[in-house]
Amino acid sequence: MTRVAYASTREVSAAELSELPPAESAREFGSPERRRQFLSARSLLRSMLSRFDGGSPASYRITTGEKGKPVCEGGPAISITHARDFVACCIARSGDVGIELEVIDPRRHARKVARRFFSAPEADWLETQPPERFFMLWVLKEAYGKAMGGGVVEAFQGLQCIVEPPCIEVLESAAAVPDLRLFRLHDSYLAVVAIGGALDEVEVERWDADRSEFVAAERGESTVAAKQLGDQCGKAGERPDVAVAG
């Protein structure tokens, strides 16, 4: 099972942040907002790891790979993302995973950006689609780049796809065909990508600060599209085989 959880940076308590290792809590950032995002994400991740295999949150050694990819030494595959007031994390038993959160911003010049960074087939396709489809592709590409452990080039050139809810059609991938999931989270899209492993069942939860525990994701969160290994997306109008809490 692949676990995904999110939290509001405004709800992670000072007590929870104080439990972070000094190497994390003492890091300096250019702005208070960025620091809050980092600390909240690390706190969420450590709570998820503890729930995943029973260790204490502070016991996990989290390092950074060559291109900034977080690694839990001796533990499961992990990925972290943040956008504005939300952070989210992903944990998987096998393979590599990437998670990305992207806020839907109607002011963004989506078509112009697509022509610059996306492939010609993707940009052509977006010309005939609702504006939100741009953000679907963007967040999937970012998550793919994280799963690959690379940067912008790997993210935007390595994966080409189009989204026709409830399915994602992969046109081209630099790696073996990835397994993709796409969720709507409040005013954002949340993407999870697995490479070298399958997202057979994705469980999405929310950190409840008042109860200091993970709870079912809010009902406002719904699966928008899914790419199943073996091209088993399901017929148009059918809900993909993805478990979503709530």
Side-chain angles (χ1 to χ4, degrees):
M1 176 180 289
T2 300
R3 293 189 180 276
V4 175
Y6 70 96
S8 168
T9 61
R10 299 179 183 276
E11 295 181 355
V12 178
S13 70
E16 290 161 349
L17 296 179
S18 69
E19 296 177 356
L20 292 173
E24 293 178 0
S25 60
R27 284 189 59 173
E28 296 183 358
F29 295 90
S31 70
E33 179 185 14
R34 181 66 189 93
R35 173 179 169 78
R36 183 74 179 178
Q37 289 173 335
F38 173 83
L39 296 179
S40 297
R42 287 303 178 97
S43 178
L44 177 65
L45 175 62
R46 289 182 175 279
S47 295
M48 289 179 67
L49 288 168
S50 177
R51 186 166 182 256
F52 197 74
D53 64 11
S56 66
S59 67
Y60 301 94
R61 179 172 169 77
I62 301 172
T63 59
T64 302
E66 180 181 351
K67 295 186 177 181
K69 181 179 175 67
V71 177
C72 180
E73 295 189 3
I78 61 174
S79 188
I80 303 171
T81 186
H82 59 79
R84 295 184 184 174
D85 292 337
F86 285 96
V87 293
C89 302
C90 177
I91 294 177
R93 284 286 185 194
S94 61
D96 292 304
V97 293
I99 188 171
E100 184 64 20
L101 188 62
E102 182 72 21
V103 176
I104 301 171
D105 185 355
R107 299 169 299 176
R108 196 166 187 177
H109 301 294
R111 291 182 179 179
K112 186 175 181 179
V113 173
R115 284 295 173 190
R116 181 178 179 183
F117 293 103
F118 293 179
S119 69
E122 289 171 321
D124 290 343
W125 173 75
L126 283 172
E127 290 286 344
T128 64
Q129 300 299 312
E132 66 179 26
R133 296 291 172 87
F134 165 82
F135 297 97
M136 293 180 180
L137 290 192
W138 185 278
V139 74
L140 284 166
K141 287 172 178 285
E142 289 273 20
Y144 176 85
K146 287 184 174 181
M148 290 288 287
V152 175
V153 174
E154 289 86 349
F156 289 93
Q157 295 183 6
L159 174 68
Q160 296 181 29
C161 60
I162 59 176
V163 184
E164 294 287 355
C167 294
I168 304 168
E169 179 184 353
V170 175
L171 304 177
E172 185 175 324
S173 172
V177 178
D179 201 4
L180 315 174
R181 296 290 187 277
L182 183 63
F183 302 91
R184 179 68 178 262
L185 178 61
H186 300 286
D187 62 346
S188 306
Y189 281 114
L190 177 71
V192 182
V193 174
I195 296 175
L199 299 172
D200 296 323
E201 186 177 355
V202 181
E203 182 174 311
V204 181
E205 296 177 302
R206 175 177 57 86
W207 176 254
D208 188 315
D210 294 331
R211 296 161 58 180
S212 294
E213 64 181 19
F214 292 99
V215 299
E218 296 177 353
R219 292 190 177 276
E221 177 176 303
S222 60
T223 301
V224 178
K227 168 64 173 62
Q228 302 287 339
L229 291 177
D231 296 326
Q232 296 177 359
C233 277
K235 298 178 182 179
E238 292 183 352
R239 184 178 181 84
D241 186 18
V242 180
V244 180

